[in-house]
Amino acid sequence: GFVTLIGRPNSGKSTLLNNLLGEKISIVSNKPQTTRHKILGIHTQKEGQIVFIDTPGIHKPGYELNRRMMQAVHDALENVNLILLLVDATTRFGNGDRFVLDLIKKQGMNTILLLNKIDLLNKVKLLPLIDFYSKQFEFIDIIPISALKGDNLRFLIKKVFDYVPEGDSFFSESQYTDCSERFLTAEMVREKVLHYTREEIPYSSIVAVSHFEEEKNPIVHIYCDIFVEKKSQRKILIGSHGEKIKAIGIDSRIEIERLLGKQVYLNLFVRVKPKWRNDPKLLDQLLSPYR
C-alpha cells in the first residue's frame, strides 16, 4: 500500500522515513522546509511492501518554490491508502497544528497519529497529550514514537500492514526509492549547505547536478551548481579562503561515495541567480526527484 507522511516543518518525517528504510534518501537538518519534494521510500519485507511518501512540512507559501512544496503535499494525499500524521510531542499545540488537522479532516482518510520525539518528552505528559489529540480527530490509532531512536517503529510497521490492502508489489524487493542518483547527490550537497551556512542561506539556495559521469570510469565525476540569490550569499557560502565550500564538498563526497559505492570526484560551483525561488522555468528544471 501507499502511505503518506505529513506534518509541520521539523516534525521528523524525513528522519522517520530514513530509519524505516535503513537507508538515507531524505535529507535532514534542524532548519524548517528542508524537504522540498515528494519522495518515495520503499519498505519491503516478507509480509509485503509499503511505499512511504515523504512530503515537505506544511507551511504558508510565500514564494513559487513554497507553493510548489505545498502542492507536493496535496498531491501526496491523493490515491493513498493511509496517512501518518507526525506531531512533535515536545511542542505546544498551535494554529499550524490546527491547519494540518483541518487538512486531514478534508481528506476523510484513515489516519494514524504519530507523537514523535518521545525520547525528549517528560513521560507524565504523554497520556494527557494522547487524550488531547484523541478529542481533536478520530484517528484510527495514536502511536508514540521516536523517529531518531527507533522507539516503536517495528510496532508502527505492523500497524501499517493492518491497514493497507492486499495486492501486487509495485517495486522490486531490492529497490528502496524511485529517486535518481543525480537527485540524491544534489540533496546530499544541499544538506551540507544547510549544516554549514547561516540562517539567511538555506532558504535561498538550491543544488543542481550539471555533470554526472560514471560509465567506463572507476571514479564518478560529479559537478554541482549551488544557486543563491545574492552575491553576498555567495561570499558567505564560499567562506574565507574557500574554507566553507571545501568543508561542504568533503562531507558531501563522503555521503555520496556511500550512496554510490564508488570513489567520487566532486566539484562544487556557487552561482548567483537572483529570485530563483520565483522562477517557474528554473524550478521546473531543479525540483524533479527523477532528473
Side-chain angles (χ1 to χ4, degrees):
F2 285 80
V3 179
T4 293
L5 311 177
I6 75 165
R8 296 186 64 190
N10 283 359
S11 58
K13 299 181 299 298
S14 297
T15 300
L16 174 61
L17 179 65
N18 293 337
N19 210 333
L20 288 171
L21 301 182
E23 299 284 351
K24 184 174 182 177
I25 65 168
S26 200
I27 66 172
V28 177
S29 84
N30 61 358
K31 298 179 175 66
Q33 303 172 27
T34 297
T35 300
R36 290 174 171 170
H37 315 79
K38 184 177 68 172
I39 299 175
L40 264 61
I42 305 156
H43 174 89
T44 306
Q45 59 186 58
K46 64 180 181 179
E47 287 82 2
Q49 185 176 88
I50 304 168
V51 182
F52 292 102
I53 307 171
D54 189 16
T55 61
I58 296 175
H59 63 284
K60 184 178 180 180
Y63 294 89
E64 175 65 19
L65 169 65
N66 303 90
R67 287 190 283 273
R68 294 188 181 211
M69 290 164 63
M70 286 305 299
Q71 186 58 52
V73 174
H74 289 284
D75 291 346
L77 293 173
E78 298 294 329
N79 302 315
V80 296
N81 306 112
L82 183 67
I83 295 173
L84 299 182
L85 170 59
L86 269 79
V87 169
D88 183 345
T90 66
T91 62
R92 187 186 296 255
F93 185 89
N95 290 334
D97 300 286
R98 177 63 60 193
F99 179 80
V100 176
L101 284 176
D102 288 342
L103 181 62
I104 293 292
K105 291 175 182 178
K106 290 178 183 178
Q107 296 301 313
M109 192 176 299
N110 283 344
T111 302
I112 295 176
L113 174 66
L114 303 180
L115 295 174
N116 191 25
K117 306 185 184 182
I118 59 169
D119 53 308
L120 304 176
L121 184 71
N122 187 327
K123 295 303 183 285
V124 300
K125 297 182 179 180
L126 185 56
L127 286 179
L129 194 61
I130 292 174
D131 180 64
F132 171 80
Y133 273 100
S134 66
K135 295 174 181 176
Q136 307 305 310
F137 181 74
E138 195 173 335
F139 296 103
I140 58 175
D141 224 319
I142 298 178
I143 305 176
I145 68 166
S146 170
L148 182 64
K149 302 292 186 180
D151 297 350
N152 278 349
L153 297 196
R154 288 187 180 181
F155 178 73
L156 170 60
I157 288 289
K158 180 179 180 299
K159 280 293 183 179
V160 171
F161 274 120
D162 288 341
Y163 291 111
V164 295
E166 292 186 2
D168 295 329
S169 296
F170 285 87
F171 300 94
S172 68
E173 291 186 13
S174 60
Q175 191 172 357
Y176 58 86
T177 186
D178 65 343
C179 298
S180 71
E181 290 181 340
R182 290 173 68 104
F183 168 78
L184 295 174
T185 293
E187 285 290 272
M188 288 177 178
V189 174
R190 187 166 69 87
E191 181 182 61
K192 304 312 172 189
V193 170
L194 293 171
H195 175 73
Y196 278 101
T197 56
R198 302 174 187 173
E199 291 299 321
E200 183 187 10
I201 298 295
Y203 315 109
S204 305
S205 65
I206 194 167
V207 180
V209 175
S210 59
H211 182 76
F212 192 106
E213 180 183 329
E214 63 175 332
E215 294 183 3
K216 303 176 183 179
N217 199 327
I219 301 177
V220 184
H221 289 256
I222 301 173
Y223 294 80
C224 290
D225 292 325
I226 305 173
F227 292 99
V228 293
E229 293 185 315
K230 302 175 183 178
K231 290 182 180 179
S232 59
Q233 295 169 343
R234 182 178 186 272
K235 185 177 180 180
I236 292 171
L237 192 51
I238 292 173
S240 178
H241 305 293
E243 292 177 357
K244 190 167 291 184
I245 195 67
K246 181 179 179 181
I248 290 170
I250 291 172
D251 285 4
S252 299
R253 180 175 53 79
I254 292 171
E255 292 221 10
I256 296 167
E257 287 182 340
R258 190 180 298 123
L259 168 72
L260 301 178
K262 293 182 179 180
Q263 188 176 348
V264 168
Y265 174 82
L266 178 65
N267 247 348
L268 303 179
F269 302 91
V270 185
R271 307 188 187 281
V272 179
K273 181 70 174 178
K275 300 181 180 179
W276 68 262
R277 285 181 288 179
N278 272 324
D279 186 336
K281 186 176 180 180
L282 184 63
L283 291 173
D284 286 341
Q285 298 172 5
L286 299 181
L287 286 183
S288 172
Y290 312 107
R291 67 179 193 274

